[in-house]
Amino acid sequence: MVLHSKHLLGLDGIPQKDIITILDTAKSFREVLDRPIKRLPTLQGKTVVNLFYEPSTRTRISFELAEKRLSADIVSFSASNSSVKKGETLIDTVKNIEAMKIDMVVVRHSSPGVAHLLARVLTSHIINGGDGGHEHPTQALLDMFTIRQKLGNLQGKTIALVGDISHSRVAMSNIYGLKKVGARVLVCGPSTLIPREIEKLGIEVYYNIDEIIPQVDVLNILRLQLERQREALFPSLREYHNYFGITRERLEGATKPILIMHPGPMNRGIEISSDVADSDHSVILEQVTNGVAVRMAVLYLLAGGRSETH
Ligand code: CP
């Protein structure tokens, strides 16, 4: 198994067969996670830096665990207790870290394009752990892995991304990835939270949640990204919940079982009700488990010296 890319910057720019390679490789690593001893020597001697300029629970811990499971040496950097506080620039920071002889960087940042910037100025492999509203490729890969695990395959399946599409890097990476593997992708939310002309990406746009529920195999419910919204884009959280919140009553319109997904963190009672989040159809915590396996696969394929171009 080889990848054609040196970095994982997004799912927009990578070939379909790299996506399939990552998902297939993650399947073996997922089995490792169920063993009593979960550690493999695969990345012994490799050093990975986790560079988090933005808060994270799942992505940061999942990458750290994936790196530990593969026996890599790891360093976790958090901007809030670093020399960034003394005014050091991003480029100076990463060049200084790379001077300590590292192999890979996982980066999360609030500015779109930061992972691409690091790929230009560093020689290490770069993995995008979420850059502003741009992309979050490992989240989309773990979402795709979970759908494949539960429904057998992705091709021909109808997957709806619901809610705040405009501010969601998870939505963008899911759209790019799912389209590449032949899924039917719908987006649904208030018109103020759906980018203009998004249908040009080959997806369908809906503004009425009750119209899509009878059609879908998967609802991937997105968090309202209130911290990225600079103006009021809907009248109130209560109204948002009434029109777009996924509730048990609303799911009564389904014609078949629907897989309930959410990338986290959830706003319970706003985009998703607790009875749906905790229902038998919810795979939200399985997404998190699968995330470790998917990140192990990405680290292994990139840093394991198996990239054809590196
Ligand atoms: N899904 C996700 O990216 O969660 P965190 O922000 O906690 O990493």
Side-chain angles (χ1 to χ4, degrees):
M1 296 256 199
V2 290
L3 285 189
H4 295 82
S5 325
K6 176 178 172 181
H7 310 288
L8 180 64
L9 305 179
L11 297 193
D12 186 17
I14 75 168
Q16 188 235 37
K17 63 181 177 181
D18 278 4
I19 293 179
I20 301 298
T21 298
I22 294 167
L23 297 179
D24 288 346
T25 306
K27 209 169 163 201
S28 321
F29 286 123
R30 181 64 190 80
E31 284 161 22
V32 172
L33 296 182
D34 287 332
R35 292 185 197 158
I37 296 172
K38 301 169 179 61
R39 191 177 281 260
L40 299 170
T42 320
L43 294 190
Q44 229 158 31
K46 299 282 183 192
T47 303
V48 187
V49 175
N50 300 306
L51 196 68
F52 278 71
Y53 275 80
E54 223 192 21
S56 166
T57 297
R58 279 146 292 270
T59 310
R60 186 174 58 78
I61 293 175
S62 180
F63 266 113
E64 284 182 12
L65 274 176
E67 291 149 10
K68 286 181 177 166
R69 303 282 187 239
L70 295 175
S71 306
D73 294 324
I74 74 168
V75 179
S76 290
F77 167 98
S78 151
S80 57
N81 53 13
S82 73
S83 291
V84 170
K85 288 280 165 208
K86 301 174 200 160
E88 191 166 32
T89 67
L90 171 69
I91 302 283
D92 282 338
T93 301
V94 294
K95 284 192 169 172
N96 276 270
I97 291 172
E98 189 168 66
M100 297 182 214
K101 304 294 180 194
I102 61 165
D103 300 288
M104 307 187 74
V105 176
V106 178
V107 62
R108 166 166 290 194
H109 202 282
S110 57
S111 296
V114 160
H116 287 76
L117 174 66
L118 298 200
R120 284 202 297 278
V121 301
L122 300 181
T123 56
S124 307
H125 298 273
I126 309 298
I127 301 174
N128 184 355
D131 61 333
H134 179 225
E135 281 224 42
H136 192 350
T138 57
Q139 178 67 46
L141 287 164
L142 76 86
D143 293 344
M144 293 166 75
F145 181 92
T146 306
I147 297 169
R148 211 159 78 145
Q149 181 189 49
K150 296 290 169 189
L151 304 183
N153 62 17
L154 290 153
Q155 196 173 17
K157 295 290 183 293
T158 301
I159 294 137
L161 298 157
V162 178
D164 185 356
I165 311 297
S166 290
H167 301 92
S168 175
R169 54 197 175 203
V170 175
M172 295 318 293
S173 290
N174 263 278
I175 290 169
Y176 295 131
L178 289 167
K179 286 304 295 174
K180 281 188 182 165
V181 298
R184 177 183 172 217
V185 182
L186 323 180
V187 295
C188 182
S191 57
T192 48
L193 292 177
I194 296 186
R196 271 187 216 154
E197 304 198 359
I198 197 166
E199 60 279 3
K200 287 191 174 161
L201 296 175
I203 63 173
E204 298 164 47
V205 179
Y206 289 82
Y207 303 104
N208 179 348
I209 192 76
D210 299 312
E211 235 182 282
I212 66 165
I213 282 176
Q215 305 183 43
V216 301
D217 298 294
V218 178
L219 285 175
N220 196 346
I221 302 153
L222 304 173
R223 183 172 69 88
L224 267 184
Q225 312 245 328
L226 296 169
E227 76 279 14
R228 296 192 208 281
Q229 296 175 17
R230 293 197 184 88
E231 54 184 323
L233 295 171
F234 47 87
S236 67
L237 292 176
R238 190 188 176 94
E239 184 149 326
Y240 181 86
H241 177 73
N242 288 343
Y243 280 94
F244 294 99
I246 304 298
T247 59
R248 194 179 284 274
E249 300 72 51
R250 197 151 250 151
L251 289 176
E252 280 167 14
T255 53
K256 56 187 162 188
I258 297 177
L259 213 57
I260 299 295
M261 302 177 74
H262 193 303
M266 284 186 274
N267 295 307
R268 287 175 181 260
I270 300 177
E271 70 262 4
I272 187 168
S273 66
S274 275
D275 53 4
V276 172
D278 303 326
S279 71
D280 290 343
H281 295 298
S282 164
V283 292
I284 293 168
L285 290 177
E286 290 173 79
Q287 289 173 259
V288 177
T289 309
N290 292 338
V292 178
V294 165
R295 288 170 177 128
M296 286 169 83
V298 169
L299 290 159
Y300 163 73
L301 288 164
L302 291 180
R306 286 167 173 259
S307 165
E308 281 179 353
T309 57
H310 190 65

